[in-house]
Amino acid sequence: MEEDEFDSLSSEEMIYVFEHERKNTGGEIRSLEDFTGKCLFIELRNHYMYQKDAVEDIDVFELEEKLKEELLPLQEVTDDELLQLKEEFSEQIKPFIFPNNIIRRAYAYEPDWNDRFFVAETEEKYFGLYWCTTA
């Protein structure tokens, strides 16, 4: 690319933070996997709402069920990966606080450099962070 071609490139960065209190044990969210499916649904539903013409016409309830069925097994996060996530995102997500007392943590999918989705479970809540960029 020539130097002036970089000027026409645009990029977008998005970050979603999800939290759900565990004391609400009834209803749709009873596990970290249920929470993960709901987070994916919310993120994709927002994309769906803004990109209606570019996506398949599907009822939102059907979309949520489809996402739950296609959910890949969660992949455990190492201590080093968790430390890197905290260092990278703690300042960006304020006033949300990256939990310290995590009892289970995972990537919902293999993280790429430009598309990362992390979920965690503490005694009190479920926590999720989805970050992506088109840079």
Side-chain angles (χ1 to χ4, degrees):
M1 294 183 105
E2 298 295 323
E3 189 173 319
D4 63 341
E5 290 179 291
F6 286 107
D7 295 336
S8 64
L9 295 177
S10 64
S11 64
E12 178 181 71
E13 183 175 354
M14 291 187 313
I15 190 164
Y16 289 83
V17 177
F18 305 95
E19 291 186 310
H20 180 74
E21 297 295 323
R22 288 191 65 197
K23 66 182 175 188
N24 179 11
T25 55
E28 301 172 358
I29 299 177
R30 293 179 298 277
S31 68
L32 189 57
E33 286 77 9
D34 289 342
F35 176 73
T36 302
K38 184 63 83 173
C39 293
L40 286 172
F41 167 70
I42 292 168
E43 192 275 321
L44 285 176
R45 179 195 62 194
N46 290 342
H47 178 75
Y48 176 80
M49 298 294 189
Y50 294 112
Q51 305 286 330
K52 282 185 193 176
D53 297 333
V55 296
E56 173 187 350
D57 191 19
I58 186 172
D59 178 270
V60 291
F61 298 108
E62 292 175 36
L63 175 61
E64 185 170 8
E65 286 307 311
K66 182 179 177 181
L67 288 170
K68 287 179 182 177
E69 290 171 7
E70 295 174 354
L71 184 64
L72 299 174
L74 300 179
Q75 299 175 16
E76 194 66 27
V77 172
T78 67
D79 290 338
D80 289 341
E81 289 171 319
L82 179 63
L83 182 60
Q84 180 184 355
L85 283 165
K86 282 184 173 185
E87 288 175 358
E88 189 172 343
F89 293 109
S90 288
E91 286 298 314
Q92 292 181 46
I93 65 171
K94 284 185 177 179
F96 296 98
I97 298 173
F98 213 103
N100 286 323
N101 54 342
I102 296 172
I103 56 176
R104 185 174 174 211
R105 59 194 187 237
Y107 280 113
Y109 296 98
E110 186 63 34
D112 293 322
W113 76 270
N114 65 334
D115 193 12
R116 300 168 77 185
F117 183 30
F118 167 79
V119 291
E121 179 177 359
T122 71
E123 293 290 338
E124 300 83 30
K125 67 181 177 180
Y126 297 106
F127 176 85
L129 184 137
Y130 175 72
W131 172 86
C132 69
T133 182
T134 58

